[in-house]
Every structure is written in structure tokens, then in C-alpha cells.
Amino acid sequence: MVNPICSLLPGDFPWRNRIHLFDCLPSTNDYAKELARQGAPHGTVIIADAQTAGRGRMGRSFHSAKNQGLYLSLILRPQCPPAQLMHLTCAAAESACNAVQQLCGIRPQVKWINDLIMEQKKLGGILTELSVDSKTGLTDWAVIGIGINCGQKRTDFPPELQDMATSLLLSTGNAYSPYNLACALICELHRLSCNLLSGKEKMLRQYEQDCLTIGKDISVSKNGDIFYGKALGIDGDGGLIVLLTDGTTQTVQAGEVSVRGLYGYV
Ligand code: BTN
């Protein structure tokens, strides 16, 4: 059977024969990582109509009901040290923002570092995972996982998510097919992969524009400690520059950032 996503892509699209579509997987990221370990090429894309164990950052789960969202993972094989890929999650978030904007005419915002936001609610998220070749010290593979809520109504989300989550349907009033979104996103991710290092600075300045965290009072939770401050900007690797309450400036590369006024944080 013809893969319905391939039939939406241009005939000469370079990753056309590397797009794998499944009814249901535990997690497209886990499947992509397994394929990457087995040698799957750069540009391999895994999409599932549903996930039973969709994963998010910080060990969280990602609600992935059948045909209601886009659940996609991409294998990249950038031949560079992992230290040059600190911006990968930001870059993937920008690709997702571009794809949603193309399809719906509305651009999501980003909550640092990986949450896609519409109307102050979570529309989706990014989970990037990476493996390094211990002999060369270079990146062996990177898997970019992207989940975007498309068709959920409020009551389709579990009760604990209903005040925090949104979908393209809820935020725009229109129904969008996850496969059309997949098509726009795959093209954006291909464009990103061609400019992954050369386009970094320009991409990060756009990320800074899209990042609702900037200028807000935030808390940063890291290794059991909590710091408070104001988010000032994004550095050259995608790190969050924070002015702490003691007057010092720190750049946060990892950890959980809460934004005052978002998701019930007061
Ligand atoms: C987050 O919210 O912290 C990130 C969510 C990432 C979800 C996507 S859905 C496709 C891919 N497969 C997964 O298990 N996770 C990512």
C-alpha cells in the first residue's frame, strides 16, 4: 500500500523512501533509537497514529491518543561532536513552529526549551536523544521526537491535562490532519538538517523571538535545587540566560523552568 504521507510529499523529496508509518507503537523515539542502533540512515522518519508509551522530557509521559495528534521521530547522523548540537531541541522547536504556521496560519510560541504553546497552553513538545561514538567522540545518531496535538477536544485529554493542554482544533477552531502536518514538518526538518550548523545563529534569534519565557519571572529546578530570576535571552547554544535574584547571571542548559503565569505557576 502507498504510504499516504509519501504521496503528499514532492516526488523528488530525498527522504521519501525513508518514511515509515505505523498504526501504533509504544514510542516512536524508542523505535527510532532501535533502528538507529541497527544502522538506519540519516533522514529515517518514524510516524505512528498512536503511542502507548509516548515519552516527554524529565521522564514525563506524552498523551498520544489514536489519530488525534502527530507523533513523529527523525533519525539524523550529523558528523560532528555532540557539543556542537546543544541547539538541536531549539532547532526542532523552530521547525515545528514553521510547520504549524504554514498549515494553520498561526505561529505557536515556545516555552524554553521544548514545549510548543498556543493560547498559554501546551500544544506539543520535543524530545531529542543522542548517541556518541566512543571511539571518535563524534555523534553517532540523534533522534528528534516531536508530538503535536491536532484533533483533541478538551475532554479527550485526561482530567489532569485539561487546563494545561490544547490542540490545533481547540486553538484555531479548525480540524487539521496529522498527515498534512507531518508533511510540512518533514520538509521543515529536512531544511533544518541541511543548515544544522551554518544556520544556528539565525535560527536561535528566531527562537528567542518565539520563546515566551524571555522577559518573564521564572523558577529553575535543577538537581534538587530551585533558583528564581528573570529570563533575559538565549545564548549561542540555546541555553537560557537568567538574571538571578542575587543579581548574578547564569546560563541554564538543562533543568526544568517554570514560567510565572503559565500552567498554574504563581
Ligand atoms: C515533552 O513534552 O517533554 C516532549 C514530548 C515529546 C513527544 C514526542 S511524540 C513522538 C516522540 N515519541 C515519544 O515517545 N516522544 C516524542
Side-chain angles (χ1 to χ4, degrees):
M1 200 183 84
V2 179
N3 178 330
I5 293 170
C6 290
S7 57
L8 296 169
L9 286 163
D12 58 352
F13 185 71
W15 294 347
R16 214 182 143 76
N17 297 323
R18 299 179 187 176
I19 298 167
H20 306 275
L21 180 59
F22 295 85
D23 277 349
C24 185
L25 286 175
S27 153
T28 56
N29 260 39
D30 290 348
Y31 193 87
K33 282 163 63 178
E34 190 48 44
L35 286 189
R37 286 185 202 107
Q38 292 170 15
H42 178 83
T44 301
V45 177
I46 308 299
I47 297 171
D49 291 338
Q51 297 182 118
T52 52
R55 295 187 293 111
R57 238 176 120 241
M58 320 287 284
R60 299 204 179 97
S61 61
F62 187 79
H63 187 253
S64 311
K66 191 164 178 70
N67 298 330
Q68 291 192 331
L70 172 60
Y71 318 116
L72 176 151
S73 299
L74 165 68
I75 299 172
L76 294 180
R77 293 193 182 274
Q79 305 287 301
C80 64
Q84 291 181 13
L85 296 175
M86 305 278 282
H87 64 299
L88 196 54
T89 299
C90 299
E94 282 302 297
S95 297
C97 288
N98 292 343
V100 169
Q101 185 171 20
Q102 276 166 33
L103 191 70
C104 313
I106 301 176
R107 190 170 184 84
Q109 290 181 292
V110 185
K111 173 185 167 286
W112 190 91
I113 184 169
N114 71 323
D115 280 352
L116 304 173
I117 305 289
M118 260 189 188
E119 299 183 310
Q120 304 282 308
K121 294 184 174 181
K122 180 159 170 162
L123 175 71
I126 320 285
L127 177 66
T128 48
E129 302 183 89
L130 208 128
S131 169
V132 179
D133 183 324
S134 55
K135 288 198 201 94
T136 62
L138 298 177
T139 307
D140 185 10
W141 50 259
V143 166
I144 298 175
I146 302 179
I148 301 177
N149 303 324
C150 292
Q152 291 93 336
K153 296 188 279 308
R154 183 182 158 87
T155 49
D156 290 327
F157 291 111
E160 68 277 13
L161 295 183
Q162 288 180 6
D163 288 339
M164 286 193 287
T166 190
S167 66
L168 294 177
L169 177 65
L170 282 169
S171 288
T172 70
N174 298 318
Y176 293 99
S177 135
Y179 290 177
N180 286 334
L181 181 58
C183 188
L185 182 57
I186 292 167
C187 292
E188 280 298 316
L189 290 167
H190 178 257
R191 204 163 64 88
L192 160 68
S193 77
C194 296
N195 304 301
L196 193 53
L197 301 183
S198 60
K200 177 162 143 177
E201 193 45 42
K202 187 168 174 222
M203 178 283 297
L204 284 172
R205 287 319 118 216
Q206 180 61 50
Y207 179 91
E208 197 171 50
Q209 296 281 310
D210 292 329
C211 184
L212 62 70
T213 313
I214 308 302
K216 300 271 177 29
D217 289 332
I218 60 167
S219 74
V220 183
S221 154
K222 202 175 160 187
N223 304 329
D225 292 324
I226 298 195
F227 310 90
Y228 296 90
K230 186 187 273 287
L232 297 182
I234 300 294
D235 82 352
D237 285 318
L240 184 68
I241 305 166
V242 184
L243 175 63
L244 297 176
T245 42
D246 66 6
T248 62
T249 302
Q250 255 200 34
T251 300
V252 182
Q253 301 289 0
E256 177 67 356
V257 167
S258 301
V259 177
R260 199 179 287 275
L262 196 70
Y263 304 163
Y265 173 58
V266 286

